[in-house]
Amino acid sequence: DAGVIQSPRHEVTEMGQEVTLRCKPISGHNSLFWYRQTMMRGLELLIYFNNNVPIDDSGMPEDRFSAKMPNASFSTLKIQPSEPRDSAVYFCASIPKGGGLADTQYFGPGTRLTVL
Amino acid sequence: KNEVEQSPQNLTAQEGEFITINCSYSVGISALHWLQQHPGGGIVSLFMLSSGKKKHGRLIATINIQEKHSSLHITASHPRDSAVYICAAALGNTPLVFGKGTRLSVIA
């Protein structure tokens, strides 16, 4: 299996632009997580889905952030408009079907976002 | 609210040294994860444990439930062990809570 796939790997954009990050979880995994990692705060959970349904989005920083999971094999995280403080590495992770939130997560390679 | 603290934040060791990274959490948990993040950025799971000890190659993870503390040990450290090591606590059916990580540099 190819593992969790994220695109793009690097994104540089200007303040005010819309940014869309993409994630393809491992086939057969039905829980998907979006994280943001910064030096100051480490890994922070933004939102997670179970069976394509958003379960907890309390970590989404503000209305500029939105996430969707239209089907079991694809999710997006959108920032509109982007701001310099959004610069971070964004990770997607998934858990196999039948697994609980305490189980091992499989991480994608991350998207490094720089907002100028 | 469960808080996860790691120590040290940064660690530099000579090749061959025995290394210990510590993780403390504030409330009872169902499982404790250790993750490794190499300079390239990818995050991989090393261990998931809820009691006792687990070993994989030169890596050993231990947990003391009563003291709410876990340690990750690396024996005969090597420069390729240089990475950020992250612990994460699982509390029932709630999302993992992550420590801020320990940055390890092993010098040849």
Side-chain angles (χ1 to χ4, degrees), chain A residues 9 35 37 39-43 45 48 56 91 100-105 107-109, chain B residues 30-31 33 35 37 40-43 45 48 86 90 92-96 98 100 103:
Chain A
R9 295 292 308 275
Y35 294 98
Q37 185 182 42
M39 290 289 289
M40 288 294 294
R41 300 170 69 95
L43 273 167
L45 176 66
Y48 77 92
D56 183 353
F91 286 97
L101 291 178
D103 288 335
T104 298
Q105 296 185 19
F107 284 79
Chain B
S30 55
H33 295 258
L35 309 169
Q37 184 174 22
I43 298 174
S45 178
M48 182 178 83
I86 303 167
N93 202 33
T94 59
L96 295 180
F98 293 84
K100 287 190 169 61
R103 185 175 300 275

PDB file of all heavy atoms in Angstrom, chain A residues 9 35 37 39-43 45 48 56 91 100-105 107-109, chain B residues 30-31 33 35 37 40-43 45 48 86 90 92-96 98 100 103:
ATOM      1  N   ARG A   9       3.263  18.766  -1.377  1.00  0.00           N
ATOM      2  CA  ARG A   9       4.216  18.591  -0.278  1.00  0.00           C
ATOM      3  C   ARG A   9       4.691  19.940   0.249  1.00  0.00           C
ATOM      4  O   ARG A   9       5.001  20.089   1.434  1.00  0.00           O
ATOM      5  CB  ARG A   9       5.408  17.776  -0.756  1.00  0.00           C
ATOM      6  CG  ARG A   9       5.073  16.341  -1.135  1.00  0.00           C
ATOM      7  CD  ARG A   9       4.665  15.510   0.087  1.00  0.00           C
ATOM      8  NE  ARG A   9       5.646  15.600   1.159  1.00  0.00           N
ATOM      9  CZ  ARG A   9       6.728  14.849   1.241  1.00  0.00           C
ATOM     10  NH1 ARG A   9       6.992  13.950   0.307  1.00  0.00           N
ATOM     11  NH2 ARG A   9       7.562  14.981   2.266  1.00  0.00           N
ATOM     12  N   TYR A  35      -3.883  17.455  11.290  1.00  0.00           N
ATOM     13  CA  TYR A  35      -3.083  18.075  12.337  1.00  0.00           C
ATOM     14  C   TYR A  35      -2.299  19.248  11.767  1.00  0.00           C
ATOM     15  O   TYR A  35      -1.957  19.274  10.582  1.00  0.00           O
ATOM     16  CB  TYR A  35      -2.060  17.086  12.918  1.00  0.00           C
ATOM     17  CG  TYR A  35      -2.633  15.918  13.670  1.00  0.00           C
ATOM     18  CD1 TYR A  35      -2.796  14.684  13.049  1.00  0.00           C
ATOM     19  CD2 TYR A  35      -2.990  16.034  15.005  1.00  0.00           C
ATOM     20  CE1 TYR A  35      -3.303  13.595  13.731  1.00  0.00           C
ATOM     21  CE2 TYR A  35      -3.497  14.944  15.709  1.00  0.00           C
ATOM     22  CZ  TYR A  35      -3.654  13.736  15.061  1.00  0.00           C
ATOM     23  OH  TYR A  35      -4.150  12.657  15.749  1.00  0.00           O
ATOM     24  N   GLN A  37       1.347  21.301  12.738  1.00  0.00           N
ATOM     25  CA  GLN A  37       2.543  21.232  13.581  1.00  0.00           C
ATOM     26  C   GLN A  37       3.355  22.511  13.458  1.00  0.00           C
ATOM     27  O   GLN A  37       3.725  22.917  12.352  1.00  0.00           O
ATOM     28  CB  GLN A  37       3.417  20.045  13.195  1.00  0.00           C
ATOM     29  CG  GLN A  37       4.608  19.844  14.118  1.00  0.00           C
ATOM     30  CD  GLN A  37       5.503  18.695  13.698  1.00  0.00           C
ATOM     31  OE1 GLN A  37       5.791  18.521  12.516  1.00  0.00           O
ATOM     32  NE2 GLN A  37       5.953  17.896  14.660  1.00  0.00           N
ATOM     33  N   MET A  39       6.630  24.844  15.631  1.00  0.00           N
ATOM     34  CA  MET A  39       7.679  24.695  16.631  1.00  0.00           C
ATOM     35  C   MET A  39       7.151  25.040  18.023  1.00  0.00           C
ATOM     36  O   MET A  39       7.491  24.384  19.012  1.00  0.00           O
ATOM     37  CB  MET A  39       8.856  25.609  16.281  1.00  0.00           C
ATOM     38  CG  MET A  39       9.628  25.187  15.056  1.00  0.00           C
ATOM     39  SD  MET A  39      10.584  23.708  15.372  1.00  0.00           S
ATOM     40  CE  MET A  39      11.853  24.349  16.459  1.00  0.00           C
ATOM     41  N   MET A  40       6.317  26.059  18.084  1.00  0.00           N
ATOM     42  CA  MET A  40       5.861  26.537  19.389  1.00  0.00           C
ATOM     43  C   MET A  40       4.855  25.598  20.047  1.00  0.00           C
ATOM     44  O   MET A  40       4.900  25.358  21.254  1.00  0.00           O
ATOM     45  CB  MET A  40       5.216  27.916  19.232  1.00  0.00           C
ATOM     46  CG  MET A  40       6.193  29.027  18.948  1.00  0.00           C
ATOM     47  SD  MET A  40       7.291  29.307  20.345  1.00  0.00           S
ATOM     48  CE  MET A  40       6.136  29.904  21.560  1.00  0.00           C
ATOM     49  N   ARG A  41       3.943  25.035  19.245  1.00  0.00           N
ATOM     50  CA  ARG A  41       2.810  24.311  19.824  1.00  0.00           C
ATOM     51  C   ARG A  41       2.833  22.809  19.548  1.00  0.00           C
ATOM     52  O   ARG A  41       1.992  22.073  20.052  1.00  0.00           O
ATOM     53  CB  ARG A  41       1.515  24.922  19.312  1.00  0.00           C
ATOM     54  CG  ARG A  41       1.371  26.402  19.669  1.00  0.00           C
ATOM     55  CD  ARG A  41       0.186  27.025  18.936  1.00  0.00           C
ATOM     56  NE  ARG A  41      -1.074  26.501  19.445  1.00  0.00           N
ATOM     57  CZ  ARG A  41      -1.797  27.096  20.374  1.00  0.00           C
ATOM     58  NH1 ARG A  41      -1.390  28.223  20.916  1.00  0.00           N
ATOM     59  NH2 ARG A  41      -2.945  26.569  20.782  1.00  0.00           N
ATOM     60  N   GLY A  42       3.812  22.365  18.750  1.00  0.00           N
ATOM     61  CA  GLY A  42       3.860  20.944  18.438  1.00  0.00           C
ATOM     62  C   GLY A  42       2.702  20.539  17.540  1.00  0.00           C
ATOM     63  O   GLY A  42       2.190  21.328  16.764  1.00  0.00           O
ATOM     64  N   LEU A  43       2.263  19.277  17.682  1.00  0.00           N
ATOM     65  CA  LEU A  43       1.163  18.745  16.890  1.00  0.00           C
ATOM     66  C   LEU A  43      -0.173  19.116  17.538  1.00  0.00           C
ATOM     67  O   LEU A  43      -0.393  18.837  18.712  1.00  0.00           O
ATOM     68  CB  LEU A  43       1.251  17.224  16.801  1.00  0.00           C
ATOM     69  CG  LEU A  43       2.100  16.627  15.691  1.00  0.00           C
ATOM     70  CD1 LEU A  43       2.327  15.151  15.946  1.00  0.00           C
ATOM     71  CD2 LEU A  43       1.457  16.833  14.337  1.00  0.00           C
ATOM     72  N   LEU A  45      -4.414  18.816  16.928  1.00  0.00           N
ATOM     73  CA  LEU A  45      -5.505  18.243  16.152  1.00  0.00           C
ATOM     74  C   LEU A  45      -6.435  19.367  15.692  1.00  0.00           C
ATOM     75  O   LEU A  45      -6.894  20.178  16.498  1.00  0.00           O
ATOM     76  CB  LEU A  45      -6.294  17.241  16.994  1.00  0.00           C
ATOM     77  CG  LEU A  45      -7.522  16.626  16.322  1.00  0.00           C
ATOM     78  CD1 LEU A  45      -7.124  15.752  15.142  1.00  0.00           C
ATOM     79  CD2 LEU A  45      -8.335  15.813  17.331  1.00  0.00           C
ATOM     80  N   TYR A  48     -11.272  15.717  13.041  1.00  0.00           N
ATOM     81  CA  TYR A  48     -11.194  14.336  12.599  1.00  0.00           C
ATOM     82  C   TYR A  48     -12.555  13.859  12.106  1.00  0.00           C
ATOM     83  O   TYR A  48     -13.604  14.346  12.547  1.00  0.00           O
ATOM     84  CB  TYR A  48     -10.580  13.417  13.646  1.00  0.00           C
ATOM     85  CG  TYR A  48     -11.459  13.005  14.800  1.00  0.00           C
ATOM     86  CD1 TYR A  48     -12.212  11.827  14.748  1.00  0.00           C
ATOM     87  CD2 TYR A  48     -11.484  13.743  15.975  1.00  0.00           C
ATOM     88  CE1 TYR A  48     -12.970  11.422  15.829  1.00  0.00           C
ATOM     89  CE2 TYR A  48     -12.250  13.353  17.055  1.00  0.00           C
ATOM     90  CZ  TYR A  48     -12.988  12.188  16.991  1.00  0.00           C
ATOM     91  OH  TYR A  48     -13.755  11.787  18.065  1.00  0.00           O
ATOM     92  N   ASP A  56     -15.260  15.899  15.348  1.00  0.00           N
ATOM     93  CA  ASP A  56     -14.799  16.928  16.290  1.00  0.00           C
ATOM     94  C   ASP A  56     -13.978  17.940  15.515  1.00  0.00           C
ATOM     95  O   ASP A  56     -12.900  17.621  15.028  1.00  0.00           O
ATOM     96  CB  ASP A  56     -13.965  16.287  17.397  1.00  0.00           C
ATOM     97  CG  ASP A  56     -13.504  17.279  18.457  1.00  0.00           C
ATOM     98  OD1 ASP A  56     -13.712  18.492  18.269  1.00  0.00           O
ATOM     99  OD2 ASP A  56     -12.933  16.844  19.469  1.00  0.00           O
ATOM    100  N   PHE A  91      -0.393  17.827   8.701  1.00  0.00           N
ATOM    101  CA  PHE A  91      -0.347  16.378   8.532  1.00  0.00           C
ATOM    102  C   PHE A  91      -1.762  15.806   8.480  1.00  0.00           C
ATOM    103  O   PHE A  91      -2.673  16.281   9.166  1.00  0.00           O
ATOM    104  CB  PHE A  91       0.386  15.710   9.699  1.00  0.00           C
ATOM    105  CG  PHE A  91       1.865  15.878   9.687  1.00  0.00           C
ATOM    106  CD1 PHE A  91       2.471  16.860  10.436  1.00  0.00           C
ATOM    107  CD2 PHE A  91       2.656  15.035   8.914  1.00  0.00           C
ATOM    108  CE1 PHE A  91       3.850  17.018  10.431  1.00  0.00           C
ATOM    109  CE2 PHE A  91       4.029  15.179   8.900  1.00  0.00           C
ATOM    110  CZ  PHE A  91       4.631  16.176   9.662  1.00  0.00           C
ATOM    111  N   GLY A 100      -9.918   2.176  17.258  1.00  0.00           N
ATOM    112  CA  GLY A 100     -10.407   3.281  18.067  1.00  0.00           C
ATOM    113  C   GLY A 100      -9.434   4.438  18.063  1.00  0.00           C
ATOM    114  O   GLY A 100      -8.332   4.338  17.523  1.00  0.00           O
ATOM    115  N   LEU A 101      -9.840   5.518  18.701  1.00  0.00           N
ATOM    116  CA  LEU A 101      -9.008   6.725  18.712  1.00  0.00           C
ATOM    117  C   LEU A 101      -7.678   6.489  19.432  1.00  0.00           C
ATOM    118  O   LEU A 101      -6.737   7.244  19.229  1.00  0.00           O
ATOM    119  CB  LEU A 101      -9.761   7.876  19.377  1.00  0.00           C
ATOM    120  CG  LEU A 101     -10.952   8.414  18.594  1.00  0.00           C
ATOM    121  CD1 LEU A 101     -11.643   9.524  19.368  1.00  0.00           C
ATOM    122  CD2 LEU A 101     -10.516   8.903  17.224  1.00  0.00           C
ATOM    123  N   ALA A 102      -7.616   5.459  20.265  1.00  0.00           N
ATOM    124  CA  ALA A 102      -6.372   5.185  20.987  1.00  0.00           C
ATOM    125  C   ALA A 102      -5.386   4.383  20.157  1.00  0.00           C
ATOM    126  O   ALA A 102      -4.242   4.191  20.564  1.00  0.00           O
ATOM    127  CB  ALA A 102      -6.684   4.446  22.290  1.00  0.00           C
ATOM    128  N   ASP A 103      -5.825   3.887  19.013  1.00  0.00           N
ATOM    129  CA  ASP A 103      -4.986   3.001  18.211  1.00  0.00           C
ATOM    130  C   ASP A 103      -3.948   3.764  17.393  1.00  0.00           C
ATOM    131  O   ASP A 103      -4.004   4.981  17.246  1.00  0.00           O
ATOM    132  CB  ASP A 103      -5.863   2.153  17.293  1.00  0.00           C
ATOM    133  CG  ASP A 103      -6.635   1.096  18.072  1.00  0.00           C
ATOM    134  OD1 ASP A 103      -6.172   0.706  19.160  1.00  0.00           O
ATOM    135  OD2 ASP A 103      -7.708   0.674  17.605  1.00  0.00           O
ATOM    136  N   THR A 104      -3.027   2.999  16.827  1.00  0.00           N
ATOM    137  CA  THR A 104      -1.939   3.568  16.041  1.00  0.00           C
ATOM    138  C   THR A 104      -2.474   4.321  14.834  1.00  0.00           C
ATOM    139  O   THR A 104      -3.328   3.807  14.102  1.00  0.00           O
ATOM    140  CB  THR A 104      -0.986   2.460  15.582  1.00  0.00           C
ATOM    141  OG1 THR A 104      -0.405   1.843  16.738  1.00  0.00           O
ATOM    142  CG2 THR A 104       0.126   3.026  14.707  1.00  0.00           C
ATOM    143  N   GLN A 105      -1.954   5.525  14.639  1.00  0.00           N
ATOM    144  CA  GLN A 105      -2.315   6.325  13.480  1.00  0.00           C
ATOM    145  C   GLN A 105      -1.193   6.246  12.445  1.00  0.00           C
ATOM    146  O   GLN A 105      -0.015   6.163  12.787  1.00  0.00           O
ATOM    147  CB  GLN A 105      -2.534   7.782  13.886  1.00  0.00           C
ATOM    148  CG  GLN A 105      -3.709   7.961  14.838  1.00  0.00           C
ATOM    149  CD  GLN A 105      -4.010   9.402  15.141  1.00  0.00           C
ATOM    150  OE1 GLN A 105      -3.600  10.313  14.419  1.00  0.00           O
ATOM    151  NE2 GLN A 105      -4.751   9.646  16.216  1.00  0.00           N
ATOM    152  N   PHE A 107       0.559   8.262   9.505  1.00  0.00           N
ATOM    153  CA  PHE A 107       0.680   9.650   9.083  1.00  0.00           C
ATOM    154  C   PHE A 107       1.120   9.769   7.625  1.00  0.00           C
ATOM    155  O   PHE A 107       1.925   8.975   7.130  1.00  0.00           O
ATOM    156  CB  PHE A 107       1.708  10.390   9.952  1.00  0.00           C
ATOM    157  CG  PHE A 107       1.204  10.746  11.320  1.00  0.00           C
ATOM    158  CD1 PHE A 107       1.154   9.795  12.328  1.00  0.00           C
ATOM    159  CD2 PHE A 107       0.771  12.034  11.601  1.00  0.00           C
ATOM    160  CE1 PHE A 107       0.688  10.118  13.593  1.00  0.00           C
ATOM    161  CE2 PHE A 107       0.308  12.364  12.859  1.00  0.00           C
ATOM    162  CZ  PHE A 107       0.266  11.414  13.856  1.00  0.00           C
ATOM    163  N   GLY A 108       0.616  10.809   6.978  1.00  0.00           N
ATOM    164  CA  GLY A 108       1.128  11.182   5.676  1.00  0.00           C
ATOM    165  C   GLY A 108       2.425  11.967   5.825  1.00  0.00           C
ATOM    166  O   GLY A 108       2.847  12.271   6.937  1.00  0.00           O
ATOM    167  N   PRO A 109       3.064  12.302   4.699  1.00  0.00           N
ATOM    168  CA  PRO A 109       4.359  12.999   4.735  1.00  0.00           C
ATOM    169  C   PRO A 109       4.248  14.472   5.114  1.00  0.00           C
ATOM    170  O   PRO A 109       5.261  15.109   5.407  1.00  0.00           O
ATOM    171  CB  PRO A 109       4.883  12.851   3.313  1.00  0.00           C
ATOM    172  CG  PRO A 109       3.648  12.725   2.485  1.00  0.00           C
ATOM    173  CD  PRO A 109       2.657  11.977   3.325  1.00  0.00           C
TER     174      PRO A 109
ATOM    175  N   SER B  30      -5.567   5.258  28.517  1.00  0.00           N
ATOM    176  CA  SER B  30      -5.774   3.892  28.056  1.00  0.00           C
ATOM    177  C   SER B  30      -4.573   3.372  27.272  1.00  0.00           C
ATOM    178  O   SER B  30      -4.366   2.160  27.173  1.00  0.00           O
ATOM    179  CB  SER B  30      -7.035   3.806  27.194  1.00  0.00           C
ATOM    180  OG  SER B  30      -6.966   4.726  26.128  1.00  0.00           O
ATOM    181  N   ALA B  31      -3.776   4.282  26.715  1.00  0.00           N
ATOM    182  CA  ALA B  31      -2.591   3.858  25.961  1.00  0.00           C
ATOM    183  C   ALA B  31      -1.655   5.045  25.792  1.00  0.00           C
ATOM    184  O   ALA B  31      -2.081   6.209  25.841  1.00  0.00           O
ATOM    185  CB  ALA B  31      -2.975   3.300  24.591  1.00  0.00           C
ATOM    186  N   HIS B  33       1.554   6.378  23.241  1.00  0.00           N
ATOM    187  CA  HIS B  33       2.253   6.170  21.974  1.00  0.00           C
ATOM    188  C   HIS B  33       3.591   6.898  21.970  1.00  0.00           C
ATOM    189  O   HIS B  33       3.710   8.001  22.520  1.00  0.00           O
ATOM    190  CB  HIS B  33       1.427   6.710  20.805  1.00  0.00           C
ATOM    191  CG  HIS B  33       0.132   6.010  20.573  1.00  0.00           C
ATOM    192  ND1 HIS B  33      -0.049   5.079  19.574  1.00  0.00           N
ATOM    193  CD2 HIS B  33      -1.054   6.105  21.220  1.00  0.00           C
ATOM    194  CE1 HIS B  33      -1.289   4.634  19.601  1.00  0.00           C
ATOM    195  NE2 HIS B  33      -1.932   5.237  20.593  1.00  0.00           N
ATOM    196  N   LEU B  35       6.247   8.220  19.014  1.00  0.00           N
ATOM    197  CA  LEU B  35       6.361   8.456  17.587  1.00  0.00           C
ATOM    198  C   LEU B  35       7.750   9.015  17.290  1.00  0.00           C
ATOM    199  O   LEU B  35       8.394   9.639  18.153  1.00  0.00           O
ATOM    200  CB  LEU B  35       5.306   9.484  17.132  1.00  0.00           C
ATOM    201  CG  LEU B  35       3.864   9.216  17.557  1.00  0.00           C
ATOM    202  CD1 LEU B  35       2.991  10.430  17.274  1.00  0.00           C
ATOM    203  CD2 LEU B  35       3.313   8.003  16.839  1.00  0.00           C
ATOM    204  N   GLN B  37       9.942  11.344  14.383  1.00  0.00           N
ATOM    205  CA  GLN B  37       9.861  12.230  13.232  1.00  0.00           C
ATOM    206  C   GLN B  37      11.272  12.582  12.803  1.00  0.00           C
ATOM    207  O   GLN B  37      11.994  13.286  13.507  1.00  0.00           O
ATOM    208  CB  GLN B  37       9.075  13.497  13.559  1.00  0.00           C
ATOM    209  CG  GLN B  37       8.874  14.413  12.371  1.00  0.00           C
ATOM    210  CD  GLN B  37       7.979  15.590  12.682  1.00  0.00           C
ATOM    211  OE1 GLN B  37       7.816  15.978  13.835  1.00  0.00           O
ATOM    212  NE2 GLN B  37       7.373  16.173  11.653  1.00  0.00           N
ATOM    213  N   GLY B  40      13.428  14.754   7.654  1.00  0.00           N
ATOM    214  CA  GLY B  40      12.614  14.878   6.432  1.00  0.00           C
ATOM    215  C   GLY B  40      11.170  15.184   6.707  1.00  0.00           C
ATOM    216  O   GLY B  40      10.441  15.599   5.799  1.00  0.00           O
ATOM    217  N   GLY B  41      10.732  14.965   7.942  1.00  0.00           N
ATOM    218  CA  GLY B  41       9.393  15.367   8.341  1.00  0.00           C
ATOM    219  C   GLY B  41       8.398  14.266   8.596  1.00  0.00           C
ATOM    220  O   GLY B  41       7.443  14.492   9.302  1.00  0.00           O
ATOM    221  N   GLY B  42       8.594  13.077   8.028  1.00  0.00           N
ATOM    222  CA  GLY B  42       7.607  12.024   8.183  1.00  0.00           C
ATOM    223  C   GLY B  42       7.510  11.541   9.616  1.00  0.00           C
ATOM    224  O   GLY B  42       8.499  11.497  10.347  1.00  0.00           O
ATOM    225  N   ILE B  43       6.299  11.184  10.042  1.00  0.00           N
ATOM    226  CA  ILE B  43       6.060  10.714  11.408  1.00  0.00           C
ATOM    227  C   ILE B  43       5.686   9.243  11.344  1.00  0.00           C
ATOM    228  O   ILE B  43       4.781   8.855  10.592  1.00  0.00           O
ATOM    229  CB  ILE B  43       4.915  11.507  12.069  1.00  0.00           C
ATOM    230  CG1 ILE B  43       5.274  12.989  12.168  1.00  0.00           C
ATOM    231  CG2 ILE B  43       4.602  10.947  13.458  1.00  0.00           C
ATOM    232  CD1 ILE B  43       4.147  13.863  12.671  1.00  0.00           C
ATOM    233  N   SER B  45       4.967   5.642  13.807  1.00  0.00           N
ATOM    234  CA  SER B  45       4.679   5.129  15.135  1.00  0.00           C
ATOM    235  C   SER B  45       5.734   4.105  15.526  1.00  0.00           C
ATOM    236  O   SER B  45       6.039   3.205  14.757  1.00  0.00           O
ATOM    237  CB  SER B  45       3.290   4.495  15.138  1.00  0.00           C
ATOM    238  OG  SER B  45       2.999   3.944  16.403  1.00  0.00           O
ATOM    239  N   MET B  48       3.022   1.432  20.857  1.00  0.00           N
ATOM    240  CA  MET B  48       1.810   1.750  21.591  1.00  0.00           C
ATOM    241  C   MET B  48       1.788   0.807  22.779  1.00  0.00           C
ATOM    242  O   MET B  48       1.914  -0.410  22.604  1.00  0.00           O
ATOM    243  CB  MET B  48       0.557   1.542  20.747  1.00  0.00           C
ATOM    244  CG  MET B  48      -0.718   1.910  21.488  1.00  0.00           C
ATOM    245  SD  MET B  48      -2.218   1.724  20.509  1.00  0.00           S
ATOM    246  CE  MET B  48      -2.553  -0.021  20.692  1.00  0.00           C
ATOM    247  N   ILE B  86       8.225  11.927  19.875  1.00  0.00           N
ATOM    248  CA  ILE B  86       6.992  12.522  20.389  1.00  0.00           C
ATOM    249  C   ILE B  86       6.202  11.467  21.142  1.00  0.00           C
ATOM    250  O   ILE B  86       6.033  10.346  20.629  1.00  0.00           O
ATOM    251  CB  ILE B  86       6.125  13.077  19.232  1.00  0.00           C
ATOM    252  CG1 ILE B  86       6.911  14.103  18.411  1.00  0.00           C
ATOM    253  CG2 ILE B  86       4.831  13.676  19.757  1.00  0.00           C
ATOM    254  CD1 ILE B  86       6.241  14.456  17.079  1.00  0.00           C
ATOM    255  N   ALA B  90      -3.483   8.545  25.032  1.00  0.00           N
ATOM    256  CA  ALA B  90      -4.854   8.241  24.631  1.00  0.00           C
ATOM    257  C   ALA B  90      -5.705   8.083  25.882  1.00  0.00           C
ATOM    258  O   ALA B  90      -5.391   7.283  26.762  1.00  0.00           O
ATOM    259  CB  ALA B  90      -4.890   6.963  23.804  1.00  0.00           C
ATOM    260  N   GLY B  92      -9.273   7.015  26.813  1.00  0.00           N
ATOM    261  CA  GLY B  92     -10.535   6.449  26.384  1.00  0.00           C
ATOM    262  C   GLY B  92     -10.750   6.642  24.902  1.00  0.00           C
ATOM    263  O   GLY B  92      -9.850   6.428  24.096  1.00  0.00           O
ATOM    264  N   ASN B  93     -11.923   7.066  24.522  1.00  0.00           N
ATOM    265  CA  ASN B  93     -12.239   7.259  23.117  1.00  0.00           C
ATOM    266  C   ASN B  93     -12.223   8.742  22.759  1.00  0.00           C
ATOM    267  O   ASN B  93     -13.164   9.278  22.174  1.00  0.00           O
ATOM    268  CB  ASN B  93     -13.598   6.646  22.792  1.00  0.00           C
ATOM    269  CG  ASN B  93     -13.733   6.348  21.312  1.00  0.00           C
ATOM    270  OD1 ASN B  93     -12.752   6.019  20.658  1.00  0.00           O
ATOM    271  ND2 ASN B  93     -14.925   6.484  20.791  1.00  0.00           N
ATOM    272  N   THR B  94     -11.133   9.388  23.121  1.00  0.00           N
ATOM    273  CA  THR B  94     -10.923  10.796  22.744  1.00  0.00           C
ATOM    274  C   THR B  94      -9.624  10.879  21.958  1.00  0.00           C
ATOM    275  O   THR B  94      -8.774   9.986  22.059  1.00  0.00           O
ATOM    276  CB  THR B  94     -10.838  11.705  23.977  1.00  0.00           C
ATOM    277  OG1 THR B  94      -9.760  11.266  24.813  1.00  0.00           O
ATOM    278  CG2 THR B  94     -12.130  11.673  24.773  1.00  0.00           C
ATOM    279  N   PRO B  95      -9.460  11.927  21.165  1.00  0.00           N
ATOM    280  CA  PRO B  95      -8.247  12.023  20.335  1.00  0.00           C
ATOM    281  C   PRO B  95      -6.971  12.072  21.170  1.00  0.00           C
ATOM    282  O   PRO B  95      -6.979  12.506  22.322  1.00  0.00           O
ATOM    283  CB  PRO B  95      -8.463  13.331  19.577  1.00  0.00           C
ATOM    284  CG  PRO B  95      -9.935  13.537  19.563  1.00  0.00           C
ATOM    285  CD  PRO B  95     -10.424  12.998  20.868  1.00  0.00           C
ATOM    286  N   LEU B  96      -5.887  11.654  20.547  1.00  0.00           N
ATOM    287  CA  LEU B  96      -4.593  11.669  21.212  1.00  0.00           C
ATOM    288  C   LEU B  96      -4.202  13.087  21.613  1.00  0.00           C
ATOM    289  O   LEU B  96      -4.497  14.051  20.912  1.00  0.00           O
ATOM    290  CB  LEU B  96      -3.512  11.116  20.283  1.00  0.00           C
ATOM    291  CG  LEU B  96      -3.623   9.645  19.877  1.00  0.00           C
ATOM    292  CD1 LEU B  96      -2.465   9.281  18.942  1.00  0.00           C
ATOM    293  CD2 LEU B  96      -3.626   8.750  21.090  1.00  0.00           C
ATOM    294  N   PHE B  98      -0.770  15.164  22.369  1.00  0.00           N
ATOM    295  CA  PHE B  98       0.637  15.035  22.035  1.00  0.00           C
ATOM    296  C   PHE B  98       1.519  15.897  22.931  1.00  0.00           C
ATOM    297  O   PHE B  98       1.146  17.017  23.292  1.00  0.00           O
ATOM    298  CB  PHE B  98       0.884  15.462  20.578  1.00  0.00           C
ATOM    299  CG  PHE B  98       0.252  14.547  19.564  1.00  0.00           C
ATOM    300  CD1 PHE B  98      -1.075  14.721  19.208  1.00  0.00           C
ATOM    301  CD2 PHE B  98       0.976  13.520  18.978  1.00  0.00           C
ATOM    302  CE1 PHE B  98      -1.676  13.888  18.280  1.00  0.00           C
ATOM    303  CE2 PHE B  98       0.381  12.677  18.048  1.00  0.00           C
ATOM    304  CZ  PHE B  98      -0.940  12.863  17.694  1.00  0.00           C
ATOM    305  N   LYS B 100       5.221  17.975  23.121  1.00  0.00           N
ATOM    306  CA  LYS B 100       5.842  18.867  22.138  1.00  0.00           C
ATOM    307  C   LYS B 100       7.074  18.251  21.485  1.00  0.00           C
ATOM    308  O   LYS B 100       7.635  18.822  20.541  1.00  0.00           O
ATOM    309  CB  LYS B 100       6.204  20.201  22.784  1.00  0.00           C
ATOM    310  CG  LYS B 100       4.990  21.085  23.082  1.00  0.00           C
ATOM    311  CD  LYS B 100       5.422  22.490  23.487  1.00  0.00           C
ATOM    312  CE  LYS B 100       4.233  23.437  23.519  1.00  0.00           C
ATOM    313  NZ  LYS B 100       3.198  23.037  24.477  1.00  0.00           N
ATOM    314  N   ARG B 103      13.936  16.725  20.756  1.00  0.00           N
ATOM    315  CA  ARG B 103      14.816  16.711  19.595  1.00  0.00           C
ATOM    316  C   ARG B 103      16.140  16.070  19.988  1.00  0.00           C
ATOM    317  O   ARG B 103      16.876  16.601  20.826  1.00  0.00           O
ATOM    318  CB  ARG B 103      15.042  18.123  19.073  1.00  0.00           C
ATOM    319  CG  ARG B 103      15.854  18.195  17.790  1.00  0.00           C
ATOM    320  CD  ARG B 103      15.930  19.635  17.279  1.00  0.00           C
ATOM    321  NE  ARG B 103      14.600  20.154  16.995  1.00  0.00           N
ATOM    322  CZ  ARG B 103      13.954  19.977  15.856  1.00  0.00           C
ATOM    323  NH1 ARG B 103      14.520  19.302  14.872  1.00  0.00           N
ATOM    324  NH2 ARG B 103      12.747  20.494  15.675  1.00  0.00           N
TER     325      ARG B 103
END
